[in-house]
Amino acid sequence: NAGVTQTPKFRVLKTGQSMTLLCAQDMNHEYMYWYRQDPGMGLRLIHYSVGEGTTAKGEVPDGYNVSRLKKQNFLLGLESAAPSQTSVYFCASSYSMNRGQTSWWTEAFFGQGTRLTVV
Amino acid sequence: AQSVAQPEDQVNVAEGNPLTVKCTYSVSGNPYLFWYVQYPNRGLQFLLKYITGDNLVKGSYGFEAEFNKSQTSFHLKKPSALVSDSALYFCAMNTGFQKLVFGTGTRLLVSP
């Protein structure tokens, strides 16, 4: 049981390049998330998904796209990287205690992070 | 708007002494609050959560947190700090579908 796995762990991009970050979870969780962590700002939600085939915007979605074609995978794409996207990216997954209903008390499980530098 | 604040960037404590890491929140309804810890170059690990009921919540590694509705606070505590507790601590609040809004984090340094 690996939990939440992020690929890659490190990446350096040139401005304007594109890339995809992969998140995989083996806990059969319905919900998945992408956050970015910047110094002094905590973690901020980029996009999230409440189920296979669904995605929604979070607090800071500009410049990113996501897809959830399979329940276990959540992809984060940068179409044209900018230096402002230099950050540490974390994927997380969570679950609902009651099928089809929101339960507010379940914790999130985080991946190890991807450190992205855009030069 | 729902928000979480951690007023201290860093907390310093000597090993064996009690520690407190502060968190305050703002929400119109019932808060669902969490504490996470991040060790260097690692992801976040869940410590404890407040849902409802007892205002003193016990979690992993000897940590506990005290929920105070009148002061809108959820402070993290430990009776006796260890050097290995040194890490970055985040307070967070569930805003629906387990989406989390985080505080800015507090770095805890425990000296030998």
Side-chain angles (χ1 to χ4, degrees):
Chain A
N1 190 339
V4 179
T5 303
Q6 293 182 230
T7 309
K9 291 185 171 47
F10 303 94
R11 185 72 185 268
V12 178
L13 282 181
K14 294 183 178 179
T15 297
Q17 286 185 319
S18 63
M19 78 164 294
T20 300
L21 282 66
L22 172 63
C23 177
Q25 54 96 1
D26 61 2
M27 297 172 282
N28 201 34
H29 287 171
E30 302 106 305
Y31 309 147
M32 296 187 74
Y33 318 84
W34 278 105
Y35 292 90
R36 60 177 289 173
Q37 182 181 18
D38 301 293
M41 302 187 74
L43 280 77
R44 293 178 293 167
L45 182 65
I46 304 171
H47 285 281
Y48 66 101
S49 169
V50 299
E52 182 178 320
T54 71
T55 63
K57 294 180 180 179
E59 182 186 356
V60 289
D62 294 343
Y64 306 95
N65 57 76
V66 288
S67 65
R68 187 139 180 232
L69 299 179
K70 294 182 179 180
K71 186 177 184 179
Q72 64 268 34
N73 295 338
F74 195 31
L75 279 62
L76 177 71
L78 286 72
E79 290 187 348
S80 180
S84 61
Q85 295 177 305
T86 294
S87 187
V88 181
Y89 292 84
F90 287 99
C91 177
S93 71
S94 190
Y95 59 101
S96 172
M97 295 292 287
N98 301 307
R99 191 174 182 83
Q101 297 180 11
T102 298
S103 56
W104 294 71
W105 50 87
T106 54
E107 66 271 23
F109 296 77
F110 285 81
Q112 298 275 59
T114 296
R115 185 173 295 277
L116 175 65
T117 302
V118 183
V119 297
Chain B
Q2 300 170 82
S3 64
V4 172
Q6 293 179 245
E8 303 157 316
D9 290 336
Q10 183 164 309
V11 170
N12 298 307
V13 64
E15 188 174 32
N17 283 358
L19 69 88
T20 298
V21 182
K22 296 179 180 178
C23 171
T24 59
Y25 66 90
S26 175
V27 67
S28 58
N30 292 321
Y32 295 88
L33 299 162
F34 300 79
W35 276 101
Y36 288 85
V37 60
Q38 184 181 31
Y39 296 100
N41 300 315
R42 301 290 297 275
L44 278 69
Q45 298 177 30
F46 168 74
L47 277 180
L48 51 80
K49 61 188 175 185
Y50 172 79
I51 306 167
T52 186
D54 288 342
N55 289 339
L56 187 64
V57 179
K58 294 191 182 297
S60 306
Y61 313 120
F63 284 93
E64 56 191 26
E66 185 173 10
F67 174 74
N68 187 317
K69 188 171 184 177
S70 63
Q71 297 186 2
T72 62
S73 66
F74 188 54
H75 299 333
L76 182 69
K77 299 174 183 287
K78 188 173 183 182
S80 179
L82 299 172
V83 172
S84 57
D85 292 331
S86 298
L88 186 58
Y89 290 81
F90 288 100
C91 183
M93 181 164 58
N94 189 333
T95 61
F97 291 108
Q98 278 71 300
K99 295 177 293 166
L100 295 171
V101 60
F102 286 86
T104 51
T106 299
R107 188 165 301 281
L108 174 66
L109 291 178
V110 182
S111 55

